[in-house]
Coordinates of all heavy atoms in Angstrom, one line a residue:
Chain A
E278 N 7.9 -37.4 23.2 CA 8.6 -38.7 23.0 C 7.9 -39.4 21.8 O 8.6 -40.1 21.0 CB 8.6 -39.6 24.2 CG 9.2 -38.9 25.3 CD 8.2 -38.1 26.1 OE1 6.9 -38.4 26.2 OE2 8.5 -37.1 26.8
E279 N 6.6 -39.4 21.8 CA 5.9 -40.0 20.8 C 6.0 -39.6 19.4 O 6.2 -40.2 18.5 CB 4.3 -40.0 21.0 CG 4.0 -40.8 22.3 CD 2.4 -41.0 22.4 OE1 1.8 -40.9 21.4 OE2 2.1 -41.1 23.5
D280 N 6.3 -38.2 19.3 CA 6.6 -37.6 18.1 C 7.8 -38.2 17.5 O 7.8 -38.3 16.3 CB 6.7 -36.0 18.3 CG 5.5 -35.2 18.0 OD1 4.6 -35.9 17.3 OD2 5.3 -34.1 18.3
D281 N 8.8 -38.2 18.4 CA 10.2 -38.9 17.8 C 9.9 -40.1 17.2 O 10.5 -40.3 16.1 CB 11.1 -38.9 18.9 CG 11.6 -37.5 19.3 OD1 11.5 -36.6 18.5 OD2 12.2 -37.4 20.4
E282 N 9.2 -40.9 17.8 CA 9.1 -42.3 17.3 C 8.3 -42.2 16.0 O 8.7 -42.8 14.9 CB 8.2 -43.3 18.2 CG 9.1 -43.7 19.4 CD 8.3 -44.4 20.4 OE1 7.2 -44.8 20.0 OE2 8.7 -44.5 21.5
V283 N 7.3 -41.4 15.9 CA 6.6 -41.3 14.7 C 7.4 -40.9 13.6 O 7.3 -41.4 12.5 CB 5.3 -40.3 15.0 CG1 4.6 -39.9 13.5 CG2 4.2 -40.8 15.8
V284 N 8.1 -40.0 13.8 CA 9.1 -39.5 12.7 C 10.0 -40.6 12.2 O 10.3 -40.7 11.0 CB 10.0 -38.3 13.3 CG1 11.2 -38.0 12.4 CG2 9.2 -37.1 13.3
E285 N 10.6 -41.2 13.1 CA 11.3 -42.4 12.6 C 10.6 -43.3 11.7 O 11.2 -43.8 10.8 CB 12.0 -43.1 13.8 CG 13.3 -42.5 14.4 CD 13.9 -43.4 15.5 OE1 13.9 -44.6 15.2 OE2 14.3 -43.0 16.5
E286 N 9.4 -43.7 12.1 CA 8.8 -44.7 11.3 C 8.5 -44.3 9.9 O 8.5 -45.1 9.0 CB 7.6 -45.2 12.1 CG 7.8 -46.2 13.2 CD 6.7 -46.5 14.0 OE1 5.6 -46.2 13.5 OE2 6.8 -46.9 15.2
S287 N 8.1 -43.1 9.8 CA 7.6 -42.7 8.5 C 8.8 -42.6 7.6 O 9.6 -41.7 7.7 CB 7.1 -41.2 8.6 OG 7.8 -40.3 8.9
E288 N 8.9 -43.5 6.6 CA 10.1 -43.5 5.8 C 9.9 -42.6 4.4 O 9.0 -43.1 3.6 CB 10.4 -44.9 5.4 CG 11.0 -45.7 6.5 CD 11.8 -46.8 6.0 OE1 12.1 -46.9 4.8 OE2 12.2 -47.7 6.8
E289 N 10.4 -41.6 4.6 CA 10.2 -40.7 3.4 C 11.3 -41.2 2.2 O 12.2 -41.8 2.6 CB 10.5 -39.2 3.6 CG 11.7 -39.2 4.5 CD 12.2 -37.7 4.6 OE1 12.7 -37.1 3.7 OE2 12.3 -37.3 5.8
Q290 N 10.8 -41.0 1.1 CA 11.6 -41.3 0.0 C 12.9 -40.6 -0.1 O 12.8 -39.4 0.2 CB 10.9 -41.0 -1.4 CG 9.9 -42.1 -1.8 CD 10.5 -43.2 -2.5 OE1 11.7 -43.4 -2.3 NE2 9.8 -43.9 -3.3
P291 N 14.0 -41.2 -0.2 CA 15.2 -40.4 -0.3 C 15.2 -39.5 -1.5 O 14.8 -39.8 -2.7 CB 16.3 -41.4 -0.4 CG 15.8 -42.6 -0.9 CD 14.4 -42.6 -0.4
S292 N 15.5 -38.3 -1.2 CA 15.5 -37.3 -2.4 C 16.5 -36.3 -2.2 O 17.1 -36.1 -1.1 CB 14.0 -36.6 -2.5 OG 13.9 -35.9 -1.2
A293 N 16.8 -35.5 -3.3 CA 17.8 -34.4 -3.2 C 17.3 -33.4 -4.0 O 16.7 -33.7 -5.1 CB 19.1 -34.9 -3.7
K294 N 17.4 -32.2 -3.6 CA 17.0 -31.1 -4.6 C 18.0 -30.1 -4.6 O 18.8 -29.9 -3.6 CB 15.5 -30.5 -4.0 CG 15.7 -29.9 -2.6 CD 14.4 -29.2 -2.4 CE 14.5 -28.2 -1.2 NZ 13.9 -28.6 0.0
T295 N 17.9 -29.4 -5.8 CA 18.9 -28.3 -6.0 C 18.5 -27.1 -5.3 O 17.4 -26.6 -5.4 CB 18.9 -28.0 -7.5 OG1 18.9 -29.3 -8.3 CG2 20.2 -27.2 -7.9
I296 N 19.6 -26.5 -4.6 CA 19.2 -25.3 -3.9 C 19.7 -24.1 -4.7 O 18.9 -23.1 -4.9 CB 20.0 -25.3 -2.5 CG1 19.8 -26.5 -1.7 CG2 19.7 -24.0 -1.8 CD1 18.5 -26.5 -1.0
N297 N 20.8 -24.2 -5.3 CA 21.4 -23.0 -6.0 C 22.4 -23.4 -7.1 O 22.9 -24.7 -6.9 CB 22.3 -22.2 -5.0 CG 21.6 -20.8 -4.8 OD1 20.9 -20.3 -5.7 ND2 21.8 -20.2 -3.6
V298 N 22.5 -22.7 -8.0 CA 23.4 -23.0 -9.1 C 24.4 -21.9 -9.2 O 23.9 -20.7 -9.4 CB 22.6 -23.3 -10.4 CG1 23.7 -23.5 -11.5 CG2 21.7 -24.4 -10.3
F299 N 25.7 -22.1 -9.3 CA 26.7 -21.0 -9.4 C 27.3 -21.2 -10.8 O 28.0 -22.2 -11.1 CB 27.8 -21.2 -8.3 CG 27.1 -21.2 -6.9 CD1 27.0 -22.4 -6.3 CD2 27.0 -20.0 -6.3 CE1 26.4 -22.4 -5.0 CE2 26.3 -20.0 -5.0 CZ 26.2 -21.2 -4.3
R300 N 27.1 -20.2 -11.6 CA 27.8 -20.4 -12.9 C 29.0 -19.6 -13.0 O 29.2 -18.7 -12.4 CB 26.7 -19.9 -14.0 CG 25.7 -20.8 -14.1 CD 24.6 -20.4 -15.3 NE 23.3 -20.7 -14.8 CZ 22.8 -21.8 -15.0 NH1 23.4 -22.8 -15.5 NH2 21.5 -22.1 -14.5
D301 N 30.0 -20.1 -13.9 CA 31.1 -19.4 -14.2 C 30.9 -18.1 -14.9 O 30.3 -18.1 -16.0 CB 31.9 -20.4 -15.2 CG 33.4 -19.9 -15.3 OD1 33.7 -18.9 -14.6 OD2 34.2 -20.6 -15.9
P302 N 31.3 -16.9 -14.2 CA 30.9 -15.7 -14.8 C 31.6 -15.4 -16.1 O 31.3 -14.5 -16.8 CB 31.3 -14.7 -13.7 CG 32.0 -15.5 -12.7 CD 31.9 -16.9 -12.9
N303 N 32.7 -16.2 -16.4 CA 33.4 -15.9 -17.6 C 32.8 -16.3 -18.9 O 31.9 -17.2 -18.8 CB 34.8 -16.5 -17.6 CG 35.6 -16.0 -16.4 OD1 35.3 -16.5 -15.3 ND2 36.6 -15.3 -16.7
E304 N 33.1 -15.6 -20.0 CA 32.5 -16.1 -21.3 C 33.0 -17.5 -21.6 O 32.3 -18.4 -22.0 CB 32.9 -15.1 -22.3 CG 32.5 -13.8 -22.3 CD 31.3 -13.8 -23.1 OE1 31.1 -14.4 -24.1 OE2 30.3 -13.1 -22.8
V305 N 34.3 -17.7 -21.6 CA 34.9 -19.0 -21.9 C 34.7 -19.9 -20.6 O 35.3 -19.6 -19.6 CB 36.4 -18.9 -22.3 CG1 37.0 -20.3 -22.6 CG2 36.6 -18.0 -23.4
K306 N 33.9 -20.9 -20.8 CA 33.6 -21.8 -19.6 C 34.8 -22.9 -19.3 O 35.3 -23.5 -20.3 CB 32.4 -22.5 -19.8 CG 31.2 -21.7 -20.2 CD 30.6 -21.1 -19.0 CE 29.5 -20.1 -19.4 NZ 29.2 -19.0 -18.6
R307 N 35.2 -22.8 -18.0 CA 36.2 -23.9 -17.7 C 35.5 -25.0 -16.8 O 34.6 -24.7 -16.3 CB 37.3 -23.2 -16.9 CG 37.9 -22.1 -17.8 CD 38.2 -20.8 -17.1 NE 37.3 -20.3 -16.1 CZ 37.7 -19.6 -15.0 NH1 39.0 -19.6 -14.8 NH2 36.8 -19.2 -14.2
T308 N 36.2 -26.0 -16.7 CA 35.7 -27.0 -15.8 C 35.9 -26.8 -14.3 O 36.9 -26.3 -14.0 CB 36.4 -28.4 -16.2 OG1 36.6 -28.5 -17.5 CG2 35.7 -29.6 -15.5
A309 N 34.9 -27.1 -13.6 CA 35.1 -26.9 -12.2 C 35.8 -28.1 -11.5 O 35.1 -29.2 -11.3 CB 33.6 -26.6 -11.5
T310 N 37.0 -28.1 -11.4 CA 37.8 -29.4 -11.2 C 37.7 -29.7 -9.7 O 38.0 -30.8 -9.4 CB 39.2 -29.3 -11.7 OG1 39.7 -28.0 -11.2 CG2 39.2 -29.4 -13.2
S311 N 37.6 -28.8 -8.9 CA 37.7 -29.2 -7.4 C 36.9 -28.1 -6.6 O 36.9 -27.0 -6.9 CB 39.1 -29.1 -7.1 OG 39.3 -29.1 -5.6
L312 N 36.3 -28.7 -5.5 CA 35.5 -27.9 -4.6 C 36.0 -28.0 -3.2 O 36.5 -29.0 -2.9 CB 34.0 -28.3 -4.5 CG 33.3 -28.5 -5.8 CD1 32.0 -29.3 -5.5 CD2 32.9 -27.2 -6.4
C313 N 35.9 -27.0 -2.4 CA 36.2 -27.1 -0.9 C 35.3 -26.3 -0.2 O 35.1 -25.2 -0.4 CB 37.6 -26.8 -0.7 SG 38.2 -27.0 1.0
W314 N 34.8 -26.9 0.9 CA 33.9 -26.1 1.8 C 34.7 -25.3 2.7 O 35.7 -25.9 3.2 CB 32.8 -27.1 2.5 CG 31.8 -27.6 1.6 CD1 31.8 -28.8 0.9 CD2 30.5 -27.0 1.3 NE1 30.6 -28.9 0.3 CE2 29.8 -27.8 0.5 CE3 29.9 -25.7 1.6 CZ2 28.5 -27.6 -0.1 CZ3 28.7 -25.4 1.1 CH2 28.0 -26.4 0.2
H315 N 34.2 -24.2 3.2 CA 34.8 -23.4 4.2 C 34.8 -24.2 5.5 O 33.6 -24.7 5.9 CB 34.1 -22.1 4.3 CG 34.6 -21.1 5.1 ND1 35.4 -20.2 4.7 CD2 34.6 -21.0 6.5 CE1 35.8 -19.4 5.7 NE2 35.4 -19.9 6.8
P316 N 35.8 -24.3 6.2 CA 35.8 -25.2 7.5 C 35.0 -24.7 8.6 O 34.4 -25.4 9.2 CB 37.2 -25.1 7.9 CG 37.9 -24.2 7.2 CD 37.2 -23.7 6.0
D317 N 34.7 -23.4 8.8 CA 33.8 -23.0 9.8 C 32.6 -22.5 9.2 O 32.5 -21.5 8.5 CB 34.3 -21.8 10.6 CG 35.7 -22.0 11.1 OD1 36.0 -23.1 11.5 OD2 36.5 -21.1 10.9
G318 N 31.5 -23.1 9.6 CA 30.2 -22.6 9.3 C 29.6 -22.9 7.9 O 28.5 -22.8 7.5
N319 N 30.5 -23.4 7.0 CA 30.1 -23.9 5.7 C 29.2 -22.9 4.9 O 28.4 -23.3 4.3 CB 29.3 -25.2 6.0 CG 30.2 -26.3 6.4 OD1 31.3 -26.5 6.0 ND2 29.6 -27.0 7.3
H320 N 29.5 -21.6 5.1 CA 28.7 -20.8 4.3 C 29.4 -20.4 2.9 O 28.8 -19.6 2.0 CB 28.4 -19.4 5.0 CG 27.6 -19.7 6.1 ND1 26.3 -20.2 6.0 CD2 27.7 -19.5 7.5 CE1 25.8 -20.2 7.2 NE2 26.6 -19.8 8.1
K321 N 30.6 -20.8 2.7 CA 31.4 -20.5 1.6 C 31.9 -21.8 0.9 O 32.3 -22.7 1.6 CB 32.5 -19.6 1.9 CG 32.1 -18.3 2.5 CD 33.2 -17.3 2.4 CE 33.5 -16.8 3.7 NZ 34.3 -15.6 3.7

Side-chain angles (χ1 to χ4, degrees):
Chain A
E278 304 85 32
E279 292 192 24
D280 261 345
D281 281 342
E282 284 175 18
V283 168
V284 162
E285 270 189 43
E286 280 171 21
S287 68
E288 285 208 10
E289 43 169 297
Q290 279 277 28
S292 62
K294 62 174 196 250
T295 314
I296 307 278
N297 242 333
V298 175
F299 305 94
R300 288 181 215 279
D301 188 359
N303 299 71
E304 287 271 329
V305 179
K306 306 280 178 207
R307 302 131 329 142
T308 315
T310 47
S311 161
L312 310 164
C313 182
W314 287 94
H315 189 99
D317 308 315
N319 292 321
H320 291 304
K321 296 201 233 188

